[in-house]
Structure formats: C-alpha cells, structure tokens
DNA sequence: CAGTATCCTCGAGGATACTG
DNA sequence: CAGTATCCTCGAGGATACTG
C-alpha cells in the first residue's frame, strides 16, 4: 500500500493520515498556526528541502487546507493561509503538543494560556448531551458494514 | 534531518511525531485501541509487511507505549497491550477520526457513542479554570528560550 | 502463531544551483 | 522572495519463504 492509497480506504484515521501523515506536513502546519506564512521563513525554520516544502504546500493547497494568496504585485508574491478546513486541524496539533509535553519533554518548550485568565487550556473528550467528560471505557464503537 | 532526529528537537510536536509519525504507526495503534492484540490479526487487517509490523511493535514497546505480555506457555505466545502512556494517545486518535469524519468521509465509517446516553462524544478545547470552551484566537503562546 | 531472514524496489527527502 | 531544476542517497516498506 502506497501512501496515497490511504485516501481510498474507508477509515477516517487513514484518510486524515493521507493528508497529514508525511514526515514534514504537521511541522509545516505548526509554522502556519504559529503565524508564519512565507515560503522562505518556513523553509529556514524547519530546515527541510525546498522542493519538499514546495510539494507539501501544493498538496495542502489542493486539499483545501491552505490557500495561496497574493500579498503584493510587481513582483507578484504569494503567501499561504489556513482555510477553515486547515484551522480545524488545530485540535490535532494540540493533541500532539499535549502528549509530547506530558511524555517526551521535561519542560514544555511552548506554553499555551487562556488570554482571559492565564490558565492552561486542555483537550477534553466530552459528551455534549450529558455535559460531562467521558473516558474511552464509556464509549461504544459502531462500525459501518464497509468500514476498514 | 532523518526521522529519528525529530526526537531530539525541542518541540513537543516533533517529539510526538518521532513516535507516531511513520506511515503505519497510527493505524497499528488504531487496531490496539480497537481491541486487537495479536500479531497476525493486526498484520492481516492492515495488510502491511510482517517485518514492518514487527519493527513498529518493538519500537512502540521500547517507547513504553505498548507492553508485550505472555498470554500462554508451551508454546509461549505473546500479545501487545496499551500502557497508560499508550492509552493517553486516544485524544490524538479521536482528533484524526473527527477531522476525517468532517472533511474526508461522506458517512463516518465508525461512530462513537456514549454508552450512558447514546450521544456522540467530541473533543473540546477548554479552559479548566474558566470552565468554558476556548478557541485558538483566545490563546497566547509563550515559547521557551531554546524552543524550536 | 509470532515472529525472523532475505532480497528487492521505489519514492521521499536532501543538496545545490539557478530564475523571474 | 518564492519557487523550479537536477541529481542523488538511503531507508522505509513490500514480498516471500522459513522457523521455534
């Protein structure tokens, strides 16, 4: 199974992975969420190959995760911005940060805080109906007939 | 930068990626969360190479994400179970599922429901102090001096 | 069943120079 | 600045047979 074949499998994990599962993709998105929009800025910070970055940006743009926006003319220059589909990857990024903070870093390299109160936000798995947190033991999984 | 070098960078996204960022790792974990614990069962469902699966299981075990448990003797047979460190990857898996359900699947291939009420749980980013949901616009990021 | 051994392919990524 | 062109390396993953 090639990487691209993940997109065609009936599993939401695999489909998402077909978009973000390559080595550099989530780190490129990390830069976008951090406010970097320029090719050279991202390339220098991450230190990845220019052709790899160019390829990832084209892929993410054609996926609708980023949009390429002209920010000046003569000469024309473009930058990349997160679309709503791209912004919606934020919980995924936070999940990566939280796990790394908890299990792989002594001191968190970056701290998020709620502007209003200064406290640290966290991802919670909740039942919107019961209005309480749930653990995976309290969940049932139902698979469609053609699910992978 | 090789894949393994991500572990040594001072960024929690990169460190987590050094554990879960290869092509098959999250899909292997999906099988574990689904209750599959046996080598052959995982290998047949996913269809990945046996040597790749063996390598991933060794890596995840040495990372402390899985533990290898003997479940019978003569002949000795082993299976794999999620440790607390592995269980803590569940929000990450849910984030992948939610994004795929929302943006890449017409009908969700698998539905999670709260056993107590039957409703669908969701990941929410919350401030535990203010006891309310927050968006990324309401957050501030503070980087350590040596953060990547 | 849970792997190991062996061999092979191919494409992801790196490096560097160049261009409008 | 935002890429493209070119060439190259190497290791991740596939396939198949074998083993305690």
């Amino acid at each position: 199974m090639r990487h691209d074949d993940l997109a065609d499998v009936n599993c939401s994990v695999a489909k998402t992975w077909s978009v973000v599962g390559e080595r550099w993709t989530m780190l490129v998105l990390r830069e976008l969420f951090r406010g970097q929009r320029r090719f050279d800025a991202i390339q220098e910070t991450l230190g990845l190959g220019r052709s790899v970055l160019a390829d990832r940006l084209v892929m993410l743009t054609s996926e609708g995760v980023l949009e390429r926006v002209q920010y000046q003319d003569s000469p024309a220059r473009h930058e990349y911005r997160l679309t709503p589909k791209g912004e919606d990857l934020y919980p995924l990024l936070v999940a990566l940060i939280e796990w790394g903070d908890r299990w792989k870093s002594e001191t968190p390299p970056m701290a998020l805080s709620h502007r209003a109160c200064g406290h640290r936000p966290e991802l919670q798995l909740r039942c919107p109906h019961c209005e309480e947190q749930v653990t995976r033991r309290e969940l049932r999984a139902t698979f469609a007939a053609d699910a992978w």
Side-chain angles (χ1 to χ4, degrees), chain A residues 22-138:
Chain A
E22 280 153 321
R23 181 140 104 225
W24 286 107
T25 310
M26 281 309 302
L27 291 162
V28 171
L29 289 170
R30 184 197 75 161
E31 289 305 300
L32 270 289
F33 277 109
R34 200 167 160 168
Q36 297 293 346
R37 300 170 161 183
R38 308 287 170 82
F39 188 97
D40 278 33
I42 297 170
Q43 195 269 323
E44 277 163 36
T45 305
L46 296 181
L48 80 176
R50 301 181 75 77
S51 47
V52 176
L53 178 56
D55 183 81
R56 280 320 95 90
L57 290 171
V58 166
M59 183 274 284
L60 289 169
T61 302
S62 74
E63 274 287 341
V65 166
L66 302 181
E67 57 181 347
R68 186 163 174 273
V69 180
Q70 184 166 342
Y71 69 89
Q72 84 171 27
D73 31 52
S74 55
R77 291 281 152 76
H78 298 86
E79 63 179 18
Y80 295 87
R81 297 183 195 164
L82 292 160
T83 62
K85 187 173 176 180
E87 293 256 4
D88 196 41
L89 287 166
Y90 194 61
L92 175 55
L93 190 73
V94 175
L96 291 166
I97 293 168
E98 286 191 348
W99 196 84
D101 281 353
R102 263 200 289 274
W103 300 98
K104 302 292 287 182
S105 304
E106 283 113 61
T107 315
M110 184 211 64
L112 291 175
S113 59
H114 187 200
R115 287 180 193 278
C117 73
H119 285 75
R120 185 185 195 89
E122 59 184 37
L123 275 183
Q124 298 181 355
L125 188 58
R126 293 198 151 236
C127 177
H129 178 258
C130 302
E131 295 184 338
E132 54 185 36
Q133 268 188 278
V134 293
T135 66
R136 85 178 183 92
R137 307 286 176 191
E138 300 171 76

Side-chain angles (χ1 to χ4, degrees), chain A residues 9-29:
Chain A
V9 139
N10 197 27
C11 165
S12 286
V13 179
K15 282 181 190 293
T16 303
W17 211 247
S18 77
V19 179
V20 305
E22 280 153 321
R23 181 140 104 225
W24 286 107
T25 310
M26 281 309 302
L27 291 162
V28 171
L29 289 170

